[in-house]
Amino acid sequence: MSIADFFRKKNSSDVAKGRLKMVLVSDRANCSPEVMELIKNDIIKVISKYLEIEMEGLDIQITQTDSETDQGRVPALYANIPIKGIHTTSR
């Protein structure tokens, strides 16, 4: 994640799509969009400490999946985080 990523302008359709996606995911997970955003930001922060990631393809969601222990449907964290490289020095 570079400093340029913070200043790149997003068009309104990208912003609206992101907001709608966050609302749908938070509804499935039964937590607020604000909490979902905090979780996403924390995951990005920790992973960025060790890896250089591609923000364009980043996708973090909480979905419902079938339990392997017959508990019905349970929440599951799904993260698709494209990696550009590994940081050679600790931050």
Side-chain angles (χ1 to χ4, degrees), residues 2-14:
S2 71
I3 193 98
D5 292 333
F6 290 108
F7 298 107
R8 186 176 43 229
K9 186 175 182 175
K10 294 182 181 181
N11 63 36
S12 62
S13 66
D14 288 338

Side-chain angles (χ1 to χ4, degrees), residues 11-31:
N11 63 36
S12 62
S13 66
D14 288 338
V15 172
K17 181 180 174 183
R19 287 181 183 159
L20 178 59
K21 187 176 180 180
M22 190 59 79
V23 168
L24 292 172
V25 170
S26 65
D27 185 52
R28 280 190 227 146
N30 201 17
C31 69

Side-chain angles (χ1 to χ4, degrees), residues 41-81:
N41 290 339
D42 284 348
I43 290 171
I44 292 168
K45 182 179 175 182
V46 169
I47 292 175
S48 294
K49 183 176 179 181
Y50 303 100
L51 303 170
E52 183 181 358
I53 62 176
E54 175 63 52
M55 297 300 289
E56 291 295 317
L58 185 77
D59 184 20
I60 299 174
Q61 304 176 32
I62 295 180
T63 62
Q64 296 288 325
T65 188
D66 292 325
S67 170
E68 293 180 7
T69 58
D70 295 327
Q71 295 178 353
R73 306 271 298 161
V74 295
L77 177 67
Y78 167 81
N80 182 15
I81 305 169

